[in-house]
């Protein structure tokens, strides 16, 4: 069976980065959430107010709270809820980072088609991260 | 015996969740901190059960939390995507190291799926909630019936098609249960790409990982061995959901108070589920998952139809 000898090392490289990034995301989420619910960092929307709001559709929720959309939440990371959101958002960045890491080894082994797929996937994820598809 | 007891406790907690549907009024009456704790507990149990049953956690999380917790479906679907994403990210390294997931197989399929899932997430946030509840309920009930009826197929080593050859969709893995090294390749690559685009769209709309659909597409349609299909499905979910999750983040449909306890719960639960995997009777878990899905699906359907609000 024609299995390329470099398939294994590239797959293991991806696995190593995936493992480290996932553990980092877990730890960051836990720390940020503890800062949020303990009140150590002030929230943008107080948790006590949320039970009146979380039954609303997202559009109404945003109107009631003035919460930001797109990337504007980054400016609110000194608030516990948005620091927690940043930690959660890290999970959405893990895949593009891992893909980015394997592009060079793929090219080095002459895997141009696989490298092109990886770059296309990074482009799709980058478009999603940028908010291009978030619309209204 | 200890594992069976744990499964029974999980069944009891899920049944209690189902028997006590929360309304928006309940949500406002109870102290806020009850809900993150309840989410953590439910996510932890779903994390165990999902691994044991071989389904993505989202297919249990979205109907259960969407039907029995006081949160709007917009927020539940956002958390559902992150839920499936974090669970599969946590399992990914082991699946890749053991050869149960193949990066070479995953890359083209995940690309088709993630483009479609972006469109699905945008559509999901634009559709009326009642309609979504009805569609979600009908879908979850259909999936439960599919899981009940589905059997794995072993095609041996299938003949590659031209596109599969071009992408070199083949590999090998050590199967400890069979005590041998198994070579594999896939077939019907174009149909597989189309199937994963459809599954990605669907997952984006409902906030599900859609592992229940990935596995038959890989195994029955493309002829990958069952273990490679299950392992690669997890990795595909982690890539597809990464793109759809950003649509929910940018639309403001991700509440950290709901997302973080759910993510932490499923990541811890998945680890315990993975340890119990070899010791647990698969049929017990399968029946439990089907029962919970039928109940949660019926609840979502009736809620959407305005019969049980």
């Amino acid at each position: 069976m024609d299995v390329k000898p470099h398939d294994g090392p590239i797959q293991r490289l991806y696995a190593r980065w995936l493992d480290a990034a996932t553990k980092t995301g877990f730890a960051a989420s836990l720390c940020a959430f503890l800062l949020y619910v303990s009140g150590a960092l002030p929230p943008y929307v107080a948790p006590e107010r949320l039970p009146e709001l979380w039954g609303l559709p997202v559009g109404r929720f945003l109107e009631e709270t003035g919460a930001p959309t797109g990337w504007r939440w980054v400016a609110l990371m000194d608030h516990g809820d948005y620091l927690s959101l940043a930690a959660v958002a890290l999970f959405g960045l893990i895949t593009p980072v891992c893909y980015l890491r394997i592009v060079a080894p793929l090219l080095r082994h002459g895997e141009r088609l696989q490298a092109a797929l990886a770059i296309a996937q990074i482009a799709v994820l980058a478009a999603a991260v940028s908010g291009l598809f978030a619309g209204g | 015996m200890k594992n069976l007891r744990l499964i029974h406790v999980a069944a009891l907690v899920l049944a209690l969740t189902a028997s006590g549907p929360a309304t928006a009024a309940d949500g406002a009456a109870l102290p806020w901190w009850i809900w993150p704790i309840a989410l953590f507990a439910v996510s932890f149990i779903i994390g165990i059960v999902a691994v044991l049953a071989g389904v993505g956690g989202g297919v249990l999380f979205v109907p259960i939390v969407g039907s029995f917790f006081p949160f709007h479906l917009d927020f539940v679907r956002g958390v559902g995507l992150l839920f499936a994403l974090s669970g599969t990210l946590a399992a990914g390294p082991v699946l890749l190291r053991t050869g149960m997931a193949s990066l070479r197989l995953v890359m083209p399929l995940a690309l088709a799926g993630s483009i479609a899932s972006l469109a699905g997430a945008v559509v999901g946030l634009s559709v009326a909630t009642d309609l979504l509840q009805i569609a979600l309920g009908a879908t979850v009930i259909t999936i439960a019936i599919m899981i009940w009826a589905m059997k794995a197929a072993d095609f041996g080593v299938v003949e590659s098609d031209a596109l599969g050859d071009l992408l070199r969709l083949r590999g090998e893995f050590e199967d400890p249960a069979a005590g041998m090294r198994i070579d594999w390749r896939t077939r019907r690559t174009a149909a597989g790409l189309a199937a994963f685009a459809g599954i990605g769209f669907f997952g984006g709309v409902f906030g599900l990982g859609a592992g229940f659909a990935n596995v038959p597409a890989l195994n029955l349609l493309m002829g990958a061995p069952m273990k490679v299909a299950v392992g690669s499905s997890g990795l595909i979910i982690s890539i597809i959901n990464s793109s759809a999750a950003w649509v929910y983040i940018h639309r403001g449909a991700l509440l950290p108070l709901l997302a973080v306890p759910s993510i932490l719960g499923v990541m811890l639960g998945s680890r315990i589920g993975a340890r119990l995997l070899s010791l647990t009777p698969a049929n017990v878990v399968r029946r439990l998952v089907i029962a919970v899905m039928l109940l949660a699906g019926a609840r979502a359907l009736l809620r959407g139809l305005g019969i049980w609000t």
Side-chain angles (χ1 to χ4, degrees):
Chain A
M1 185 67 65
D2 179 25
V3 177
K4 295 288 171 187
H6 51 260
D7 274 8
I10 291 176
Q11 188 155 312
R12 282 195 294 277
L13 175 68
Y14 188 98
R16 264 202 314 280
W17 276 64
L18 186 58
D19 197 19
T22 306
K23 283 175 180 159
T24 306
F26 184 92
S29 298
L30 183 61
C31 294
F33 191 68
L34 289 176
L35 289 171
Y36 170 33
V37 293
S38 68
L41 268 182
Y44 181 77
V45 180
E48 297 81 8
R49 225 191 127 201
L50 280 174
E52 302 157 19
L53 299 166
W54 58 34
L56 301 174
V58 63
R60 289 267 319 279
F61 177 88
L62 297 174
E63 281 170 23
E64 294 282 332
T65 58
T69 54
W71 273 104
R72 287 190 291 277
W73 58 267
V74 173
L76 299 172
M77 273 173 51
D78 52 343
H79 294 80
D81 37 3
Y82 283 97
L83 186 68
S84 297
L85 182 66
V88 166
L90 284 178
F91 287 100
L93 292 174
I94 290 174
T95 295
V97 167
C98 293
Y99 262 83
L100 205 56
R101 181 63 188 87
I102 61 167
V103 170
L106 283 171
L107 287 171
R108 212 166 33 243
H109 288 101
E111 294 278 4
R112 285 196 292 271
L113 185 55
Q114 290 286 310
L117 286 172
I119 291 166
Q121 183 70 68
I122 292 165
V124 171
L125 290 168
V129 173
S130 74
L132 202 65
F133 296 96
Chain B
M1 278 315 280
K2 201 176 158 195
N3 297 323
L4 271 175
R5 230 175 290 142
L6 190 65
I7 302 295
H8 288 140
V9 171
L12 186 65
V13 175
L14 288 176
L16 283 174
T17 309
S19 65
T23 62
D26 293 336
L30 290 170
W32 66 270
W33 48 265
I34 293 282
W35 297 105
I37 294 171
L39 271 177
F40 178 83
V42 168
S43 303
F44 179 75
I45 293 163
I46 292 176
I48 298 173
V49 173
V51 173
L52 294 176
V55 296
V59 79
L60 289 171
F61 181 87
V62 175
I64 289 174
V65 176
S67 300
F68 304 116
F69 280 66
F71 320 129
H72 193 275
L73 201 57
D74 284 352
F75 298 113
V76 177
R77 282 180 292 126
V79 177
L81 279 169
L82 256 298
F83 185 93
L85 173 62
S86 53
T88 50
L89 283 172
V94 176
L95 296 172
L96 284 163
R97 283 182 193 127
T98 55
M100 298 293 161
S102 162
L103 195 56
R104 186 175 279 281
L105 174 61
V106 161
M107 286 171 79
L109 302 174
L111 181 59
S114 53
I115 293 169
S117 78
L118 282 171
V122 172
V123 169
L125 282 169
S126 320
V127 176
T129 308
D130 286 353
L131 195 63
L132 263 182
Q133 283 277 15
I134 294 168
L136 176 67
T139 307
V140 168
I141 291 170
T142 309
I143 295 163
I145 294 167
M146 273 172 60
I147 292 175
W148 180 58
M150 197 164 62
K151 288 181 174 63
D154 183 6
F155 299 101
V157 182
V158 297
E159 273 301 307
S160 286
D161 57 315
L163 187 55
D165 269 339
L166 182 70
L167 293 163
R168 296 201 194 106
L169 300 186
R170 65 195 62 158
E172 56 187 24
F173 72 100
E174 193 74 42
D175 187 348
M180 59 192 287
R181 179 165 284 274
I182 294 175
D183 292 328
W184 59 267
R185 52 175 76 202
T186 61
R187 61 181 180 187
R188 299 181 191 139
T189 310
L193 288 167
F196 275 89
I199 295 165
F201 181 82
F202 173 87
V205 172
F206 293 114
L208 306 175
F212 58 87
N214 291 346
V215 175
L218 284 162
N219 177 239
L220 300 176
L221 179 67
M222 298 182 72
M226 191 59 184
K227 288 193 175 176
V228 174
V230 171
S232 299
S233 164
L235 198 62
I236 288 171
I237 292 170
S238 76
I239 298 165
I240 291 179
N241 282 18
S242 293
S243 53
W246 281 100
V247 176
Y248 286 82
I249 291 172
H250 287 307
R251 290 274 184 103
L254 203 69
L255 290 181
L257 196 67
L258 316 187
V260 179
S262 306
I263 289 170
L264 300 181
V266 70
M267 288 177 88
L268 291 173
S270 301
R271 280 172 180 267
I272 292 177
R275 283 187 193 153
L276 292 176
L277 191 55
S278 57
L279 309 164
T280 307
N283 268 343
V284 175
V285 185
R286 224 166 91 98
R287 280 189 214 126
L288 167 66
V289 168
I290 291 167
V292 172
M293 284 176 72
L294 285 174
L295 188 63
R299 165 80 172 133
L301 190 63
L302 296 173
R303 202 175 180 183
L305 292 169
I307 296 167
W308 181 11
T309 53

